[in-house]
Amino acid sequence: MNDIPVVDFEKCGIHKSVFDEKEDLTPIGKLICDAFVNCGFVYLVNTGISSESVTELNETTGKFFNLPEHLKMKYSREQSNHGYDFIGSERLQEGQPGDYKESYNMTCKAVEADGEYAWPDEQVADFSQVSKAFMSKCKTLALRIMDAISLGLQLQDQKFLSHCHSSVLKRNNNSSLRCLYYPPMPANISEGQVRLAEHTDYGTLTLLFQDHIGGLQIKNRDGTYIDAHPIKDSILVNVADLLQYWTGGVLKSTPHRIIGTSNTASRNSVRRSIAFFVHPTGDLPVSLDLIGDDGEAAGKSDADERAVFRSKALRDIQPESLKKMTVGEYVNLHFSRNYQQRN
């Protein structure tokens, strides 16, 4: 059994061009916010992003991951967060080996800045076309989720969050699509080797499309882990650090991981997933206070508690530095911290 709530998004899915925000989106927003307050994760079903489009993207990018290493390395990740990452190139925990996975990161800036980023279409036909089409669907869904959150939190400006993210797929936004390939783990691995080390995400939200293999775990408030079992045709959505900070800790950014060694069947299987990392416009201030003094919107946390939360560091960045930092600077700092170059 999952301890992560499941919310039916059918009435407001991207397949619906018209819906009633007050009647349809408000109750969904309350359910999503309740989940985000309590555990930081929620499964959404009937979102309008079809299983066929997920399969198409996994199959297309799978052709790339099956290429010889020397061909994949021609498309190595750039400083712009676009390109291929080999096994071990991302290290999320100091003192541990890099994560045992491959990935292809696609910056959403590439949609507007066509021709400025390398795509492996020469090796895999339609790679960029399929990926960009999927990005567009994720953006539409992310903006509707932002509106749902605004309604659930009873924010005074119920379009502010979606407006902050309207730049997704444009140059001034660090949102990205990441297709992940977790190969079978060998019998002899380095001490501390995992598929994905414990971490939280940088931005505001993450949309995760899991395959049937599973393995993702999220950390409970008591420090124990629960399994985020795959639910067919669902999207697992989680709060990331910036949205937690903007709400003064009302919405929770929860640590998660994939060990990959505890289950023999999983360890010996290829695992696939797709993550869409949602970020706001890059020139916004990190120090933005979404709730402020609006007591009605606070709901689950009073002003003093939120002030204490915001007085602390965000991902080891001290409050005084945060006041001078833009969202773009904050994200790029963490890109540089977590990735290492091949020797």
Side-chain angles (χ1 to χ4, degrees), residues 37-89:
V37 166
N38 291 311
C39 76
F41 279 77
V42 68
Y43 293 97
L44 297 185
V45 296
N46 299 317
T47 62
I49 297 181
S50 68
S51 58
E52 290 79 12
S53 61
V54 175
T55 298
E56 180 185 31
L57 182 57
N58 272 328
E59 289 180 347
T60 301
T61 56
K63 294 174 184 177
F64 177 85
F65 291 122
N66 287 328
L67 291 173
E69 187 72 8
H70 74 278
L71 290 179
K72 291 187 285 190
M73 289 303 297
K74 290 173 61 177
Y75 303 93
S76 290
R77 179 186 174 276
E78 306 157 356
Q79 289 185 348
S80 56
N81 190 38
H82 187 85
Y84 169 67
D85 281 320
F86 52 87
I87 292 174
S89 60

Side-chain angles (χ1 to χ4, degrees), residues 17-277:
S17 57
V18 178
F19 57 91
D20 188 313
E21 287 198 355
K22 183 177 180 180
E23 296 296 325
D24 298 330
L25 196 58
T26 299
I28 290 173
K30 290 178 180 177
L31 292 172
I32 290 173
C33 285
D34 283 347
F36 286 167
V37 166
N38 291 311
C39 76
F41 279 77
V42 68
Y43 293 97
L44 297 185
V45 296
N46 299 317
T47 62
I49 297 181
S50 68
S51 58
E52 290 79 12
S53 61
V54 175
T55 298
E56 180 185 31
L57 182 57
N58 272 328
E59 289 180 347
T60 301
T61 56
K63 294 174 184 177
F64 177 85
F65 291 122
N66 287 328
L67 291 173
E69 187 72 8
H70 74 278
L71 290 179
K72 291 187 285 190
M73 289 303 297
K74 290 173 61 177
Y75 303 93
S76 290
R77 179 186 174 276
E78 306 157 356
Q79 289 185 348
S80 56
N81 190 38
H82 187 85
Y84 169 67
D85 281 320
F86 52 87
I87 292 174
S89 60
E90 184 176 26
R91 186 191 304 274
L92 296 175
Q93 288 288 340
E94 284 296 325
Q96 285 186 218
D99 293 340
Y100 202 84
K101 68 178 189 297
E102 299 177 46
S103 66
Y104 203 102
N105 302 297
M106 292 162 264
T107 178
C108 292
K109 298 177 183 182
V111 173
E112 184 175 71
D114 192 34
E116 296 181 21
Y117 296 89
W119 295 91
D121 290 356
E122 182 180 344
Q123 307 295 335
V124 179
D126 298 327
F127 188 106
S128 62
Q129 179 181 335
V130 171
S131 300
K132 290 176 182 179
F134 197 84
M135 286 179 183
S136 180
K137 294 174 184 177
C138 287
K139 174 184 177 177
T140 301
L141 178 60
L143 294 183
R144 292 197 179 179
I145 296 171
M146 292 297 176
D147 283 340
I149 292 170
S150 297
L151 291 165
L153 289 175
Q154 302 177 56
L155 299 182
Q156 289 183 344
D157 185 348
Q158 296 176 349
K159 289 294 181 181
F160 180 75
L161 263 181
S162 56
H163 177 72
C164 286
H165 295 81
S166 60
S167 60
V168 174
L169 306 188
K170 297 183 179 180
R171 292 176 185 270
N172 191 24
N173 189 290
N174 282 301
S175 298
S176 63
L177 177 68
R178 177 183 292 182
C179 294
L180 295 123
Y181 177 88
Y182 298 86
M185 298 187 74
N188 297 316
I189 56 175
S190 303
E191 183 179 354
Q193 180 71 69
V194 296
R195 278 181 160 169
L196 181 67
E198 178 184 299
H199 68 289
T200 54
D201 298 335
Y202 313 149
T204 45
L205 289 179
T206 302
L207 314 183
L208 180 68
F209 304 79
Q210 301 190 80
D211 69 4
H212 67 284
I213 297 298
L216 180 67
Q217 296 179 317
I218 73 168
K219 198 171 190 177
N220 266 330
R221 298 292 168 254
D222 63 4
T224 60
Y225 275 89
I226 61 171
D227 293 321
H229 296 293
I231 296 178
K232 183 175 173 57
D233 297 334
S234 71
I235 303 174
L236 186 58
V237 184
N238 65 277
V239 176
D241 290 348
L242 200 54
L243 186 56
Q244 176 178 248
Y245 188 74
W246 280 5
T247 61
V250 173
L251 306 185
K252 304 298 191 297
S253 179
T254 303
H256 46 285
R257 69 184 186 183
I258 304 172
I259 299 299
T261 57
S262 55
N263 181 290
T264 301
S266 175
R267 176 178 182 146
N268 294 332
S269 300
V270 170
R271 181 184 187 273
R272 295 298 312 275
S273 66
I274 301 165
F276 189 76
F277 298 104

Side-chain angles (χ1 to χ4, degrees), residues 276-288:
F276 189 76
F277 298 104
V278 185
H279 292 270
T281 301
D283 56 9
L284 285 169
V286 171
S287 58
L288 189 151

